[in-house]
Amino acid sequence: METVAVFCGSRPGVNPLFKSAARALGQCLAERNISLVYGGGRVGLMGTVADAVLAAGGQAIGVIPQALLDKEVGHKGLTKLHIVRDMHERKAMMAQLSGGFIALPGGAGTLEEVAEVWTWAMLGYHHKPIGLLNLAGFYNPLIAQSQNYVNEGFLDERHHQMLIVETEPGAMLERFLDYQAPASKWG
């Protein structure tokens, strides 16, 4: 795996574990020569993971809409920064550049990004691993909702199981190496 997209908050959150895990993930990516692909921001957990990758000698690739760059939230020290028109183009480019996806804690934008790549995987548009770094139980409600989709007949168990849940970045990346995508929803 050469690249991993990280979805995460543009805020640091209140739990200090989130920021330390973002640093640990960045270091882990750099140590394994896996380039970071992310939203291109310098703020929140986004900036923390990028700074950690760069400090450890790794590559950080940002993808940011011009409007956000204009608001001065773009990271100026990245290996590469792609400037795009809007959020749709941002997500498409991040997906194209990435060999897998990891979600750190974040807000509605992070949830939307995870849901979209998960949906694309279920439909067979990509066969890349998707991971939830479940720090302090942050993703427990989403995992429970996914199980509820299965229980209520709206999701196959194989698609619930495609979300890789771990609490440590290294364990997540090890599972990514062994990932085999299940059959698509209509396959």
Side-chain angles (χ1 to χ4, degrees), residues 6-13 15-23 36 38 41-51 104-106 135:
V6 175
F7 304 136
C8 58
S10 59
R11 296 179 179 192
N15 188 333
L17 173 63
F18 300 161
K19 193 168 184 175
S20 65
R23 279 193 294 270
L36 168 70
Y38 84 114
R42 64 172 171 74
V43 295
L45 295 183
M46 291 174 66
T48 300
V49 72
D51 288 342
L104 283 164
L135 307 166

Side-chain angles (χ1 to χ4, degrees), residues 85-141:
R85 288 183 307 246
D86 56 35
M87 295 298 282
H88 296 291
E89 192 175 330
R90 175 199 229 178
K91 291 182 297 178
M93 181 176 279
M94 286 177 67
Q96 178 185 4
L97 293 173
S98 301
F101 309 91
I102 295 176
L104 283 164
T110 301
L111 176 63
E112 187 266 341
E113 290 167 325
V114 169
E116 186 163 56
V117 296
W118 186 24
T119 301
W120 291 349
M122 284 185 265
L123 295 173
Y125 292 166
H126 73 77
H127 304 288
K128 302 171 186 179
I130 304 163
L132 303 175
L133 207 53
N134 194 24
L135 307 166
F138 182 84
Y139 280 111
N140 287 352

Side-chain angles (χ1 to χ4, degrees), residues 1 4-6 17-32 34 36 48-49 52-53 101-105 129-136 164-178:
M1 182 160 295
V4 168
V6 175
L17 173 63
F18 300 161
K19 193 168 184 175
S20 65
R23 279 193 294 270
L25 176 58
Q27 291 171 332
C28 193
L29 290 170
E31 288 167 1
R32 294 167 190 246
I34 299 172
L36 168 70
T48 300
V49 72
V53 166
F101 309 91
I102 295 176
L104 283 164
I130 304 163
L132 303 175
L133 207 53
N134 194 24
L135 307 166
I164 299 169
V165 180
E166 288 290 344
T167 58
E168 297 293 329
M172 176 75 68
L173 292 172
E174 287 302 315
R175 290 191 56 198
F176 271 30
L177 295 176
D178 296 328

